[in-house]
Amino acid sequence: MTKAKKGVTFNHNPLLRSELPAWRPRFVLLCLLGGSLALVGRAAYLQGVNDQFLQAKGESRYARVLEVPATRGKITDRQGDVVAVSSPVKSIWVIPEDARLNPGQVRQLAGLLEMPVQEVNQKLSVDKDFVFLKRQVSPELADRIAALKLPGIHDQREYRRFYPGGDVMAHVVGFTGVDDKGQEGIELAFEAALAGKPGSRRVVKDRRGNVVEDVQSIRLPQDGREVALAIDNKIQYLAHAALKQAMIDHKAKAGGVVVIDAKSGEILALANAPTYNPNNRVKLTGDQLRNRALTDTYEPGSTMKPFTAALALEKGKVTANTIINCAPGRMTIGSATISDAHPHGALSVTQVIQKSSNIGAAKMALSFPPETMWKMFDDLGFGSPLKLGFPGEVGGRLRPAKNWRPIEQATMSYGHGMSVNLMQMANAYQVFARDGDIVPLSLSRVDTPPVHGTRVFSPQTAREVRQMLETVVQPGGTAQQANVPGYRVGGKTGTSMKLVGGHYANRYVASFVGIAPISDPRLIVAVMIDEPSNGKRYGGEVAAPVFAQVTGGALRTLGVAPDAPLKPLQVARGAAAPVREAM
Amino acid sequence: MARLTGFLVMLVVASSLGVVASQHQARKLYTAVEREQQRSRQLEVEWGQLQLEQSTWAAHARIEKLAREKLAMRPPLPGQIIAIEERP
């Protein structure tokens, strides 16, 4: 045995026999005790006093805060057909430092993104941490790019707005920017309702990344509300198509059509030209963007005369048959002379409207004080914006009555020396369509139409003027082309010269505002064509046919019963034979 | 006394196993709920896309073009319209 050889056992080890100083074991013991106390103290500190730190560290291993995206609300027309909808797309972004791509990979990437190789290279060499390569590509394309597994190339989910209506609805609906926020039209006007608020929640994830537990909802996501417009898709299309044709036929610079439901004040159509495609806004110009019916003013011209006549009737100055001497077609007020385009002799009030005599309107206007006229214009909504909530809406020009000179009062009676937008004009014609009152216009669908509006004229006056308006489209009137077969319609033409640099230039605005059907008005249609330059320039020749086309189609669309005997119309009476509409 | 303790220990073990099992079950169910919610979101997206597609196909401009060009249709002339009145 080795022990035996050495001859020393443990107990007889000489080292043990040597006397140690007494403090040494105590010192070691103290050190050990101190060490363990320190550990216990530290443990107590971490567990009891400063427990958040470790808990947070632990949680970060399994807990995640997830963004819960909210979608932007849809915009629909009055029947619920979608006119704007958000759909998920992906944006491709890159961390240039990480993206070390060989030329082949870059070419492949550029090919998929349909971008020039040069541009991709340029973006890859930017000295930033985050660069968008291309925004809003289709999810399929993003998947194909992800499949290439290129380093430093990432994608991010976003929403893109699509507009199936295209250029037909462009000015009404407007569009959103790349960040899904409204920039124009309804998209901007109803931004608060449409925009969703993304939420977030804290969850527990397992090893595979599945969410296994919902810890808490930090914020609930709020999807944007769906907005139902008052616009009727079909009437809007009719207005758009008729306007487009008129623009071509008359080589016009611009134009607008507004259709209003007289019963509810809903805007059924609002078309402008020139227009644009909101889905592809690459070559967009400010000219195409203008929502002329609301943002541009023009001198309304003769379309103002019915209001002058109505005021004269209302104040008892005239009756429909009062004769006004309009000969010899010229009239001097102060230092200025006004004239009729075609000289007339003595005309009744009805004929003043039918033949559109400036002299007749001026003579009626000069029979009341400026304040009375100003008050009527103000009641009709002229001179201040309609406050539809539309971006860029203007109010037109209406000067305070105390500054009016007689010549100004005379010219205003036939719509010169003041300016309005097309929507205001359509709005004001409600007084004739609605028996003398005006209800506020609405861009969004109205489910419970207001019964009474703000009264401007008595029902009696409104009905009398309505009869006068009907004579305008009859033989002898200025707008026989406004006739709609099967329906009694009425309206007033307007032709005004444009002010260019403070002087009237040889450029015209042709307009027509009408109501239909006369027996129980349902629609107000206002048409304005800016600078027709193909020979014709009068409202009756340029704007009235557009009115007829839009009104005829719209009345049929709405299912309004014909109120005029159609000359060649055959009427089958009695038990209806089962006639079905062909599908 | 010892028997009671043993019994209680067994109960504790059984209930803790139960906790583990039900926790696992709950997580599995939660994952399933999560999956279904994901699916519902996807379907919603698809619904939007289908509505979009429908609106595109049913655009009035397209319908009119097809009716005029492919089907050779046109609006009826006033003389071709027959109005039907219901007998009062």
Side-chain angles (χ1 to χ4, degrees):
Chain A
M1 296 284 283
T2 46
K3 265 188 214 163
K5 271 183 192 163
K6 280 189 179 163
V8 181
T9 61
F10 181 76
N11 286 337
H12 300 96
N13 194 320
L15 278 174
L16 286 174
R17 232 172 286 149
S18 63
E19 275 296 312
L20 284 172
W23 61 269
R24 279 183 61 170
R26 264 185 232 130
F27 174 74
V28 171
L29 206 64
L30 217 66
C31 281
L32 288 174
L33 202 70
S36 56
L37 268 179
L39 284 178
V40 167
R42 175 73 181 155
Y45 172 74
L46 287 175
Q47 295 278 343
V49 185
N50 192 10
D51 54 349
Q52 278 102 10
F53 173 74
L54 278 185
Q55 271 177 13
K57 283 284 169 196
E59 219 169 63
S60 72
R61 299 291 185 277
Y62 59 84
R64 294 276 180 279
V65 174
L66 295 184
E67 261 310 277
V68 188
T71 48
R72 193 178 172 83
K74 285 173 194 149
I75 302 177
T76 68
D77 83 334
R78 61 184 305 113
Q79 268 97 29
D81 286 340
V82 179
V83 294
V85 65
S86 289
S87 195
V89 289
K90 296 239 170 127
S91 283
I92 309 294
W93 58 277
V94 61
I95 306 175
E97 208 170 306
D98 293 356
R100 302 262 168 263
L101 307 181
N102 60 41
Q105 285 174 317
V106 172
R107 234 175 296 127
Q108 207 174 3
L109 185 64
L112 278 175
L113 289 172
E114 291 169 2
M115 279 163 73
V117 177
Q118 240 177 331
E119 201 184 329
V120 174
N121 269 327
Q122 189 208 327
K123 289 201 168 178
L124 287 176
S125 58
V126 177
D127 187 26
K128 277 188 201 158
D129 292 337
F130 182 103
V131 178
F132 275 119
L133 265 186
K134 192 168 189 180
R135 296 194 76 162
Q136 304 195 334
V137 302
S138 71
E140 293 79 28
L141 180 61
D143 288 346
R144 278 168 63 195
I145 289 169
L148 295 178
K149 295 215 171 72
L150 299 174
I153 309 285
H154 305 269
D155 56 33
Q156 159 187 328
R157 192 186 158 100
E158 284 184 337
Y159 284 95
R160 191 189 150 174
R161 209 78 168 141
F162 290 93
Y163 302 98
D167 58 352
V168 178
M169 290 272 201
H171 289 107
V172 187
V173 178
F175 52 81
T176 60
V178 77
D179 53 359
D180 219 25
K181 284 207 172 58
Q183 290 195 330
E184 280 286 337
I186 294 286
E187 293 273 30
L188 180 58
F190 288 73
E191 172 70 20
L194 286 166
K197 284 196 196 79
S200 58
R201 61 195 187 119
R202 192 189 297 278
V203 296
V204 173
K205 277 194 169 181
D206 71 359
R207 187 168 50 85
R208 278 184 242 109
N210 293 328
V211 174
V212 290
E213 208 179 308
D214 208 2
V215 182
Q216 67 175 137
S217 244
I218 302 171
R219 239 174 325 124
L220 282 173
Q222 260 186 311
D223 281 343
R225 272 201 299 121
E226 189 172 309
V227 170
L229 298 182
I231 300 282
D232 185 303
N233 231 332
K234 198 161 174 197
I235 298 175
Q236 173 75 20
Y237 173 70
L238 284 169
H240 168 79
L243 180 62
K244 205 165 139 189
Q245 193 55 48
M247 292 279 294
I248 298 167
D249 291 348
H250 301 289
K251 296 204 174 96
K253 188 176 144 228
V257 176
V258 169
V259 182
I260 290 173
D261 187 329
K263 303 281 182 207
S264 61
E266 290 169 294
I267 298 167
L268 296 177
L270 194 176
N272 287 289
T275 181
Y276 61 94
N277 181 2
N279 295 307
N280 180 11
R281 305 192 296 269
V282 179
K283 287 180 209 141
L284 198 55
T285 63
D287 211 32
Q288 289 172 294
L289 257 176
R290 293 193 80 84
N291 187 348
R292 285 158 208 279
L294 285 162
T295 62
D296 282 15
T297 58
Y298 66 102
E299 291 205 337
S302 310
T303 48
M304 239 20 183
K305 284 175 192 160
F307 300 116
T308 309
L311 189 61
L313 286 171
E314 183 83 2
K315 299 288 171 205
K317 305 274 184 195
V318 294
T319 67
N321 300 319
T322 305
I323 301 297
I324 299 171
N325 184 15
C326 301
R330 326 176 53 75
M331 185 173 150
T332 306
I333 304 167
S335 59
T337 301
I338 61 171
S339 61
D340 278 336
H342 312 284
H344 304 286
L347 297 174
S348 71
V349 173
T350 302
Q351 282 170 319
V352 166
I353 298 299
Q354 185 186 22
K355 314 262 182 219
S356 195
S357 161
N358 292 347
I359 309 285
K363 281 191 168 170
M364 278 190 273
L366 291 173
S367 67
F368 20 76
E371 288 75 21
T372 312
M373 224 165 122
W374 186 89
K375 170 132 193 344
M376 173 192 68
F377 284 145
D378 188 53
D379 286 347
L380 291 169
F382 295 123
S384 54
L386 290 172
K387 297 202 179 70
L388 294 173
F390 224 81
E393 211 182 305
V394 293
R397 194 171 69 109
L398 176 65
R399 298 200 304 131
K402 62 177 191 300
N403 299 337
W404 289 4
R405 287 178 292 143
I407 176 67
E408 287 171 323
Q409 190 177 348
T411 57
M412 266 186 255
S413 74
Y414 56 88
H416 285 267
M418 62 186 294
S419 69
V420 302
N421 67 34
L422 192 62
M423 190 61 81
Q424 283 177 315
M425 215 56 221
N427 175 57
Y429 264 68
Q430 281 188 73
V431 290
F432 305 132
R434 285 184 57 89
D435 284 347
D437 66 348
I438 285 185
V439 294
L441 298 185
S442 173
L443 279 165
S444 50
R445 195 172 65 203
V446 175
D447 293 320
T448 45
V451 184
H452 296 293
T454 320
R455 181 151 296 286
V456 182
F457 297 122
S458 69
Q460 176 62 25
T461 305
R463 286 196 200 108
E464 278 181 61
V465 179
R466 209 144 76 205
Q467 303 302 325
M468 293 180 194
L469 292 179
E470 194 179 6
T471 64
V472 174
V473 304
Q474 287 167 347
T478 53
Q480 292 167 51
Q481 291 185 57
N483 244 312
V484 178
Y487 295 95
R488 289 170 59 200
V489 300
K492 184 72 196 76
T493 53
T495 313
S496 57
M497 279 202 226
K498 281 177 80 173
L499 270 174
V500 178
H503 299 281
Y504 285 106
N506 200 15
R507 298 185 201 160
Y508 296 85
V509 175
S511 60
F512 188 89
V513 188
I515 55 183
I518 289 292
S519 58
D520 180 22
R522 176 74 195 272
L523 291 179
I524 302 161
V525 180
V527 181
M528 185 265 288
I529 308 284
D530 190 6
E531 290 186 25
S533 51
N534 202 14
K536 293 176 178 172
R537 61 163 201 252
Y538 287 105
E541 309 169 305
V542 176
V546 178
F547 166 86
Q549 211 177 332
V550 174
T551 308
L555 288 171
R556 270 193 293 279
T557 303
L558 293 170
V560 176
D563 66 341
L566 200 59
K567 294 271 159 50
L569 175 84
Q570 312 168 35
V571 177
R573 276 175 202 282
V579 179
R580 288 197 189 85
E581 203 182 329
M583 294 297 282
Chain B
M1 188 64 192
R3 218 183 292 164
L4 181 66
T5 313
F7 179 65
L8 287 178
V9 166
M10 265 164 60
L11 273 189
V12 167
V13 169
S15 97
S16 49
L17 283 178
V19 166
V20 171
S22 65
Q23 179 87 348
H24 182 64
Q25 186 73 11
R27 291 193 166 175
K28 253 169 64 178
L29 287 176
Y30 190 80
T31 318
V33 166
E34 193 64 17
R35 217 176 16 243
E36 292 307 313
Q37 277 174 352
Q38 186 77 31
R39 218 167 86 83
S40 114
R41 275 195 291 273
Q42 244 160 31
L43 287 176
E44 205 143 313
V45 165
E46 198 181 328
W47 164 235
Q49 285 168 341
L50 288 174
Q51 273 183 309
L52 182 66
E53 194 178 328
Q54 189 209 24
S55 297
T56 312
W57 287 119
H60 290 288
R62 183 174 168 273
I63 303 270
E64 182 173 336
K65 193 164 178 281
L66 285 182
R68 278 185 197 280
E69 290 172 10
K70 218 166 169 187
L71 305 172
M73 293 166 88
R74 54 179 175 72
L77 298 172
Q80 293 174 307
I81 299 172
I82 302 176
I84 297 161
E85 274 178 21
E86 244 178 297
R87 189 179 286 169

